[in-house]
Amino acid sequence: MTTCYTKAASLEAEKHEKSLFKGKSEKKNTLQEVWLEIVNKVSTDPSTPEKLRPTLKRLDEIGNVPRQRTKFMKYLKNSLMMKNDDLCESLWNLLYGTLQLQKENESKKNEIEISSQKKEEEIKEKSEISAESFNFAKAAKKILKKNDNKLPLKELKEKLRSKLVEKKGIDNSEAKKRTKRALKEGLENIEIEGKQACYKKVKT
């Protein structure tokens, strides 16, 4: 019979397994793992020269392939009994060249992502500066004057938010936050009575 305790234990174990799996999937590959991926990639690439494929397939199957040039060359000659220096050189050049190309592509990708992130931050910063220069009191006064100097607070809030988006080009959620904050802090000549907003010019 399955008890509540057994179910709870099973769920906890499942969560633990998922967290372990997630941790492994996010783990960065070691230099050796990247190198072995290059060996596998080149060994299955249709554009790889025919004369290099048999050796590359053997290297892929063996798995523990040195990633340093001197050790790689010794490994080919001592373990795989390869005596052709030119062939050994071609294998190294192909693998190392593919590795460098992959690094360059990843570097460019990272640069693009960083550049894109910076642009987004700049746009956000400009929007914030632009929003700060928006005169809520003046906008509220115009809106209320068109509506007999009073409006339900909810309606005024929505009209101000809409006007802020229109004039300053910021997104709706940010405009909503700024409008709410402005009304909470209070606007010159604008009085909030319950759920009603009124324009009342203060006499001097």
Side-chain angles (χ1 to χ4, degrees):
M1 184 182 288
T2 305
T3 64
C4 292
Y5 174 78
T6 308
K7 285 181 179 178
S10 298
L11 286 169
E12 198 62 38
E14 189 179 340
K15 284 180 184 177
H16 181 62
E17 284 177 10
K18 284 181 179 178
S19 66
L20 285 175
F21 177 78
K22 187 178 179 183
K24 285 180 181 177
S25 65
E26 291 175 354
K27 187 180 177 182
K28 192 174 180 180
N29 287 346
T30 63
L31 294 173
Q32 184 64 18
E33 286 171 339
V34 172
W35 178 247
L36 294 178
E37 285 175 6
I38 292 294
V39 173
N40 176 261
K41 180 181 177 181
V42 175
S43 68
T44 56
D45 191 336
S47 65
T48 298
E50 193 69 36
K51 64 179 181 178
L52 302 180
R53 286 186 189 179
T55 307
L56 286 166
K57 284 181 180 178
R58 284 182 67 190
L59 291 172
D60 186 40
E61 289 168 2
I62 293 167
N64 191 23
V65 183
R67 66 177 188 275
Q68 294 177 349
R69 188 182 184 284
T70 305
K71 290 182 179 180
F72 180 80
M73 291 300 187
K74 283 182 180 179
Y75 183 78
L76 293 181
K77 291 174 182 178
N78 298 334
S79 299
L80 302 187
M81 309 303 258
M82 291 182 66
K83 305 301 179 185
N84 190 327
D85 291 341
D86 290 338
L87 194 60
C88 292
E89 194 69 38
S90 296
L91 283 163
W92 170 257
N93 288 338
L94 180 59
L95 290 170
Y96 186 73
T98 304
L99 175 64
Q100 293 305 112
L101 183 62
Q102 180 171 295
K103 284 181 179 178
E104 287 174 12
N105 289 338
E106 286 176 357
S107 179
K108 286 178 183 176
K109 185 181 176 183
N110 289 336
E111 285 176 8
I112 291 169
E113 287 176 357
I114 291 169
S115 176
S116 177
Q117 189 178 349
K118 281 183 178 179
K119 283 181 181 177
E120 286 177 7
E121 288 172 357
E122 285 173 4
I123 290 169
K124 187 179 178 181
E125 189 178 345
K126 285 179 181 177
S127 296
E128 288 174 354
I129 293 169
S130 182
E132 285 169 5
S133 65
F134 183 75
N135 193 325
F136 280 98
K138 189 175 180 181
K141 176 183 171 183
K142 285 183 178 180
I143 292 167
L144 289 169
K145 277 194 168 185
K146 288 179 181 179
N147 293 274
D148 297 326
N149 290 332
K150 61 183 179 178
L151 265 181
L153 180 59
K154 188 176 180 181
E155 192 174 335
L156 174 63
K157 194 183 291 183
E158 178 58 27
K159 286 181 180 291
L160 282 171
R161 181 205 60 78
S162 179
K163 187 67 70 175
L164 181 56
V165 171
E166 178 192 337
K167 295 288 184 183
K168 300 300 180 179
I170 65 173
D171 62 74
N172 281 316
S173 60
E174 184 63 26
K176 192 174 181 180
K177 287 178 190 176
R178 290 180 176 275
T179 302
K180 185 178 179 180
R181 186 165 68 238
L183 287 169
K184 189 177 180 180
E185 289 174 354
L187 301 176
E188 187 182 2
N189 296 329
I190 308 298
E191 290 186 9
I192 308 298
E193 299 173 355
K195 294 183 179 180
Q196 196 84 359
C198 308
Y199 170 67
K200 292 184 179 180
K201 189 173 181 180
V202 179
K203 294 180 180 180
T204 56

